[in-house]
């Protein structure tokens, strides 16, 4: 019976950059993020003779997967199977699967879909097995994309570094649930250019930076401060630590060999302008950037109108907005096999 699941991206406040084990995506340090409530990615997984994957855009047109993307999806399936086997629950898990991915993530909005895709797949794979814990779903998600381990949870979640070199040696945990603190992410996309180095390749370069060891020493303190700021809903504290960590990650990226320059002139200008605006108008807003020039402006509700107006005023940029989401979940009935589905449409 096909299993259907949905998930969404997340935005990191303490960044995940660098692994201790590239193959298993075991992180070198902790990280922390806020799960977004949109855009969604939906997957349908069915039992099949051999592994196959197809991907569709918002308007249902097929987006052919590259050889590399296909290989990553198949490898993820095999690792998930191996993990379930290791913990002794793979009995009902299919020998192979066909996977359909439907992404509502608009092209070029600078939101990586991998966190949403792999957390949705983990959720669907977990559906073949009885009573898998959220921790196990988070491990399954991590095997496809480290940051996907965090999208399994709603609200705020921490991807904990963990210990050991096993498949299950790192996972995410929820820090605060979705209703805890009403924050927003106003996303400004200055360039739709495809990035040249994806995060999978980028993580492997982190250790070539002479700044990486210092980053590893600082992250535990930042992670702690970030968790406190979230629990206490202290926006000033959150802003300070999130911006410090974002700039530190980009310093590591830029000092890698070869250097990874994800930010562009527009990113720097937007950051300068928002700093000026928040000082002038006393706004609870912070900026953060992942592996691309897109600026995420995370703000409290009181600052939202001013931040939206600021984003709209950015010429030549795409703008997108999200609240805090509930994390990945299975959806029932699966529209592909339900006879009743037409009644709900
Ligand atoms: O999960 P990955 O391998 O796509 O890595 C995500 C890396 C960043 O987005 C730059 C940071 C983060 O913590 O999400």
């Amino acid at each position: 019976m096909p299993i259907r699941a949905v998930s969404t991206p997340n935005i990191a406040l303490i960044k995940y950059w660098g692994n201790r084990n590239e193959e298993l995506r075991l992180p070198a340090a902790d990280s922390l993020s806020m799960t977004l409530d949109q855009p969604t990615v939906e997957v349908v997984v069915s039992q099949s003779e051999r592994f196959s994957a197809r991907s569709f855009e918002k308007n249902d047109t097929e987006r052919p997967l590259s050889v590399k993307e296909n290989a990553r999806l198949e490898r993820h399936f095999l690792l998930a199977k191996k993990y379930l086997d290791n913990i002794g629950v793979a009995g009902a898990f299919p020998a192979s699967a066909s996977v359909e991915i439907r992404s509502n993530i608009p092209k070029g909005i600078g939101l990586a879909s991998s966190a949403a895709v792999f957390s949705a797949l983990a959720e669907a794979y977990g559906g073949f097995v009885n009573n898998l814990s959220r921790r196990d779903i988070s491990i399954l998600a991590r095997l496809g994309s480290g940051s996907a381990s965090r999208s399994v949870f709603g609200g705020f979640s921490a991807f904990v570094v963990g210990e050991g070199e096993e498949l299950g040696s790192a996972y995410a945990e929820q820090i605060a649930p979705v209703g805890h603190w009403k924050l927003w992410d106003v996303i400004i996309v200055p360039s739709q250019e495809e990035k040249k180095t994806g995060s999978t390749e980028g993580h492997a370069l982190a250790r070539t930076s002479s700044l990486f060891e210092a980053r590893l020493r600082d992250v535990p303190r930042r992670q702690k401060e970030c968790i406190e700021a979230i629990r206490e809903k202290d926006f000033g504290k959150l802003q300070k630590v999130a911006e410090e960590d974002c700039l530190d990650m980009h310093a590591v990226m830029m000092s890698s060999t070869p250097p990874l320059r994800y930010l562009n002139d527009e990113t720097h200008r937007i950051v300068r302008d928002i700093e000026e605006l928040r000082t002038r108008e006393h706004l609870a807003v912070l900026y953060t950037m992942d592996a691309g020039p897109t600026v995420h402006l995370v703000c409290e509700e009181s600052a939202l109108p001013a931040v939206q107006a600021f984003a709209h005023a950015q010429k030549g940029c795409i703008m997108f907005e999200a609240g805090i989401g509930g994390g990945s979940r299975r959806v029932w009935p699966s529209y592909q096999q339900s006879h009743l589905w037409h009644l709900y449409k």
Side-chain angles (χ1 to χ4, degrees):
M1 181 191 302
I3 297 186
R4 182 170 166 246
V6 294
S7 193
T8 50
N10 62 71
I11 178 64
L13 297 164
I14 301 295
K15 308 293 186 184
Y16 154 53
W17 197 247
N19 288 316
R20 65 175 185 278
N21 182 321
E22 305 295 342
E23 292 290 293
L24 300 185
R25 297 178 191 271
L26 291 168
D30 288 348
S31 61
L32 195 150
S33 64
M34 156 176 141
T35 299
L36 304 181
D37 61 358
Q38 56 167 332
T40 52
V41 166
E42 180 185 283
V43 301
V44 180
V45 176
S46 332
Q47 207 154 336
S48 109
E49 289 292 298
R50 46 179 280 276
F51 186 87
S52 67
R54 295 177 76 185
S55 171
F56 300 86
E57 310 251 348
K58 204 179 165 131
N59 60 8
D60 242 16
T61 48
E62 183 157 5
R63 184 185 73 77
L65 291 163
S66 67
V67 173
K68 199 168 143 192
E69 288 170 321
N70 249 307
R72 182 171 176 185
L73 288 162
E74 182 164 11
R75 181 175 152 73
H76 177 236
F77 172 81
L78 293 171
L79 284 175
K81 193 170 159 56
K82 191 165 167 198
Y83 176 68
L84 295 174
D85 207 26
N86 285 359
I87 61 167
V89 298
F93 199 69
S96 207
S98 86
V99 166
E100 274 185 20
I101 301 165
R102 284 190 168 74
S103 174
N104 287 317
I105 304 185
K107 248 195 146 123
I109 67 156
L111 259 179
S113 61
S114 63
V117 168
F118 287 102
S119 52
L121 280 173
E123 197 71 58
Y125 292 158
F128 287 99
V129 175
N130 272 339
N131 296 327
L132 209 56
S133 67
R134 300 308 293 165
R135 175 176 291 184
D136 283 329
I137 304 272
S138 175
I139 289 170
L140 293 184
R142 191 209 83 229
L143 295 170
S145 156
S147 60
S149 65
R150 301 184 307 233
S151 273
V152 166
F153 299 96
F156 299 83
S157 55
F159 181 17
V160 185
V161 61
E163 274 176 18
E165 300 286 317
E166 306 296 319
L167 286 164
S169 293
Y171 43 82
E173 288 170 348
Q174 190 176 57
I175 296 298
V178 63
H180 171 71
W181 195 6
K182 213 167 163 42
L183 297 184
W184 296 86
D185 184 8
V186 176
I187 301 163
I188 305 176
V189 189
S191 153
Q192 293 187 62
E193 218 179 281
E194 267 268 337
K195 58 181 168 200
K196 290 183 191 75
T197 313
S199 39
T200 300
E201 292 77 33
H203 288 298
L205 298 179
R207 280 177 203 281
T208 65
S209 161
S210 61
L211 305 179
F212 189 60
E213 285 304 317
R215 173 167 177 77
L216 293 185
R217 278 195 300 277
D218 272 351
V219 166
R221 190 241 330 142
R222 287 189 206 138
Q223 180 87 348
K224 186 168 162 279
E225 282 179 18
C226 193
I227 292 173
E228 285 165 6
I230 289 165
R231 293 209 168 123
E232 295 158 8
K233 299 187 206 170
D234 181 339
F235 197 88
K237 190 168 177 173
L238 183 67
Q239 178 211 312
K240 204 169 154 292
V241 73
E243 291 179 359
E244 175 189 333
D245 189 72
C246 164
L247 297 176
D248 184 58
M249 176 185 73
H250 283 279
V252 168
M253 291 164 157
M254 282 189 273
S255 54
S256 298
T257 311
L260 296 173
R261 298 184 195 91
Y262 288 116
L263 312 181
N264 64 23
D265 291 351
E266 273 292 272
T267 315
H268 293 297
R269 184 196 54 77
I270 293 168
V271 165
R272 271 197 307 274
D273 288 355
I274 199 72
E275 280 178 333
E276 212 179 283
L277 181 73
R278 96 171 149 211
T279 311
R280 206 169 55 235
E281 297 190 15
H282 308 287
L283 299 175
V285 58
L286 66 85
Y287 62 81
T288 188
M289 291 78 70
D290 281 342
T294 297
V295 183
H296 293 255
L297 297 177
V298 176
C299 66
E300 283 198 296
E301 197 147 60
S302 58
L304 187 61
V307 175
Q308 283 168 331
F310 172 84
H312 278 300
Q314 306 304 312
K315 292 205 175 63
C317 296
I318 297 177
M319 179 210 162
F320 192 82
E321 196 180 299
I324 301 191
S328 61
R329 62 181 202 283
R330 270 197 293 285
V331 196
W332 188 260
S334 168
Y335 69 86
Q336 284 204 324
Q337 44 92 219
S338 170
H339 304 301
L340 295 173
W341 182 248
H342 65 280
L343 297 175
Y344 301 117
K345 278 217 252 194

